[in-house]
Amino acid sequence: MYCCCSGCARCTAPTAAARVIVRAASDTALEPEAAHAPAPEPGGYELYQKSLLGVPWPSDYGDASSDDLSSEWDSDAAEPPSASTPVTPVKVPPSGWRKLRSIVQWTPFFQTYKKKRYLWIQLAGHQGNFKAGPEQGTILKKLCPKEELCFQALMRDVLRPYVPEYKGHFTADDGEQYLQLQDLLGDFTSPCVMDCKIGVRTYLEDELAKAKEKPKLRRDMYDKMIQIDSQAPTDEEHRLKGVTKPRYMVWRETISSTATLGFRIEGIRQADGRSSKDFKTTKAREQVADAFREFTAGYPHAIPKYIQRLKAIRATLEVSEFFAGHEVIGSSLLFVHDATNANVWLIDFAKTTRLPSGLAIDHASRWVVGNHEDGYLVGVNNLLSIFKQVQQQHQQQQQQQSS
């Protein structure tokens, strides 16, 4: 295992590192847990939904603001009208809300690494968050002080090999501040990329509590909700043509696989340029398996490498001091493969926070409001289980074809 210090507790206690190596190498020790990863009961969501619907309705309406969406989920763009459809101009009042144009997009710059020039791919996050780094093989990401603290800690943790290498703070000529990170796509040629948001929720409990303090009815969030499911609002919400922000926040988690499988697919981009962000309602296990099959089609080496890497990540998480002491929210696993290679990394730590003093979580227990469980290991276990399922089905098909 990698350690950049000398004489620290980790270096003088090799048993933790040894456990990582042994568990990562032992399929038999890990197989039962991965194969039977239980889907968490959505108890936290059910209880919270009831509490939201059981309070008096707000009498006033609120406007959208720049901090509305705690995870990158752009569902507000309606289908464009056809050429034959008359369009009535609508005067839109000014708003401070910036849309999060997020999942599956090209970031507008070329990146050069090892004499290769390629468009850099951003699958999730705020548009314009990234730019080419000052050094070969680096990317600049807009500074988030909380995320910088996480990367500094991760560079001293056993998780270091599984996250982008943090190369320090960078200030651009215009004064904008960035994190300088390893370019994870640099060693790949025409990569296929998938971003999976990990955990049973993508917002902090503090965000939920803040949103519930002085709730206001939101017409924009009601419109987003009925775009996905016209039956989702209650009769009263239909009458008011509005929902509150916490109600919307909880609803959007439960329509995807986040609340049940502990992860959801944010976006996929194939090597030929085809991309998809249509995973907002991808909830059933078989739907996810179908997406994984399409993602890895034509790359038979990718699935076993992903499985091996996920096992190593899980074993390392279990002995990581960083993981034990943090609530990991809004973080992703980035899957990348090309014709010869495949790899997985932990990315995005802007909403990862240190646990309150005296509180411990296991990252696998059911989330109930107040216990800070994030379900990260639930997501990793289900990812492993589904990738194994896809691998087994592929092997069975090959056997049938050869017989």
Side-chain angles (χ1 to χ4, degrees):
M1 301 305 296
Y2 191 98
C3 187
C4 59
C5 61
S6 59
C8 70
R10 186 175 297 109
C11 293
T12 56
T15 54
R19 286 204 305 275
V20 172
I21 296 171
V22 170
R23 286 185 62 81
S26 173
D27 286 351
T28 56
L30 293 171
E31 184 71 24
E33 183 181 353
H36 304 288
E41 297 177 25
Y45 290 103
E46 290 177 348
L47 293 173
Y48 201 78
Q49 289 277 34
K50 290 178 181 178
S51 73
L52 293 174
L53 297 174
V55 298
W57 287 99
S59 57
D60 55 346
Y61 289 79
D63 295 323
S65 61
S66 60
D67 65 345
D68 273 336
L69 301 184
S70 59
S71 66
E72 300 83 3
W73 198 53
D74 186 13
S75 65
D76 31 89
E79 290 296 320
S82 65
S84 60
T85 304
V87 179
T88 304
V90 178
K91 187 176 181 180
V92 180
S95 170
W97 182 34
R98 288 186 312 170
K99 290 183 180 179
L100 300 183
R101 309 182 61 83
S102 54
I103 308 167
V104 186
Q105 60 189 354
W106 286 103
T107 304
F109 67 84
F110 281 92
Q111 178 74 338
T112 303
Y113 181 52
K114 293 184 178 180
K115 298 182 180 179
K116 295 184 297 183
R117 190 169 184 264
Y118 57 91
L119 274 170
W120 199 79
I121 302 170
Q122 180 183 349
L123 281 181
H126 298 247
Q127 188 176 23
N129 260 9
F130 293 88
K131 62 187 296 185
E135 302 173 10
Q136 285 275 312
T138 65
I139 287 292
L140 296 180
K141 183 178 183 182
K142 281 190 179 179
L143 174 68
C144 168
K146 194 184 297 184
E147 186 169 30
E148 183 174 36
L149 290 175
C150 287
F151 271 115
Q152 290 171 347
L154 284 163
M155 293 301 98
R156 303 188 297 270
D157 192 78
V158 291
L159 281 171
R160 177 170 180 159
Y162 305 100
V163 301
E165 183 180 357
Y166 169 65
K167 296 178 178 290
H169 193 100
F170 182 84
T171 303
D173 293 339
D174 60 1
E176 190 79 53
Q177 296 184 323
Y178 294 89
L179 305 177
Q180 188 177 179
L181 303 172
Q182 172 192 1
D183 178 8
L184 299 177
L185 305 184
D187 288 327
F188 293 86
T189 302
S190 299
C192 302
V193 185
M194 177 172 70
D195 183 305
C196 287
K197 191 74 71 177
I198 309 298
V200 297
R201 54 191 168 90
T202 61
Y203 48 80
L204 294 162
E205 291 199 349
D206 289 346
E207 288 181 285
L208 206 55
K210 183 179 178 181
K212 196 179 176 183
E213 283 177 0
K214 294 181 180 179
K216 293 185 177 182
L217 289 170
R218 295 286 298 273
R219 286 193 175 95
D220 59 321
M221 290 183 172
Y222 169 81
D223 290 340
K224 293 175 195 177
M225 186 180 283
I226 61 175
Q227 280 183 18
I228 302 297
D229 181 3
S230 62
Q231 303 301 313
T234 63
D235 291 342
E236 185 68 7
E237 288 168 340
H238 276 305
R239 186 183 70 81
L240 296 168
K241 297 192 182 304
V243 297
T244 63
K245 180 180 174 182
R247 160 85 163 111
Y248 174 79
M249 289 169 67
V250 172
W251 167 80
R252 70 174 186 196
E253 303 288 68
T254 58
I255 64 171
S256 72
S257 58
T258 289
T260 53
L261 296 178
F263 75 91
R264 70 167 179 251
I265 302 171
E266 288 283 273
I268 290 177
R269 196 176 200 286
Q270 301 287 7
D272 61 5
R274 289 180 297 117
S275 61
S276 176
K277 61 178 183 178
D278 189 23
F279 300 106
K280 297 180 184 69
T281 57
T282 299
K283 183 174 183 177
R285 182 186 178 91
E286 197 53 43
Q287 287 179 298
V288 175
D290 287 342
F292 287 0
R293 274 188 284 269
E294 183 176 355
F295 174 56
T296 56
Y299 300 89
H301 64 285
I303 293 178
K305 287 187 176 182
Y306 284 150
I307 291 173
Q308 181 182 17
R309 181 74 165 181
L310 285 170
K311 287 180 178 179
I313 287 173
R314 183 177 63 180
T316 308
L317 288 170
E318 291 178 353
V319 295
S320 165
E321 293 178 7
F322 177 89
F323 190 60
H326 285 79
E327 181 180 356
V328 186
I329 300 296
S331 183
S332 290
L333 286 178
L334 187 71
F335 294 78
V336 186
H337 66 260
D338 61 12
T340 59
N341 196 18
N343 216 331
V344 186
W345 291 272
L346 287 73
I347 61 170
D348 296 339
F349 302 99
K351 294 173 64 174
T352 294
T353 58
R354 186 173 292 280
L355 288 166
S357 178
L359 179 67
I361 63 175
D362 60 21
H363 304 276
S365 295
R366 187 181 70 170
W367 171 60
V368 177
V369 178
N371 71 358
H372 289 268
E373 287 290 350
D374 54 28
Y376 197 99
L377 287 178
V378 175
V380 172
N381 282 334
N382 278 308
L383 276 165
L384 253 172
S385 177
I386 296 173
F387 267 115
K388 287 182 177 181
Q389 172 189 331
V390 172
Q391 183 185 46
Q392 290 170 356
Q393 291 171 345
H394 179 68
Q395 291 171 344
Q396 290 171 357
Q397 290 174 354
Q398 287 184 319
Q399 290 172 359
Q400 291 173 356
Q401 291 171 358
S402 60
S403 61

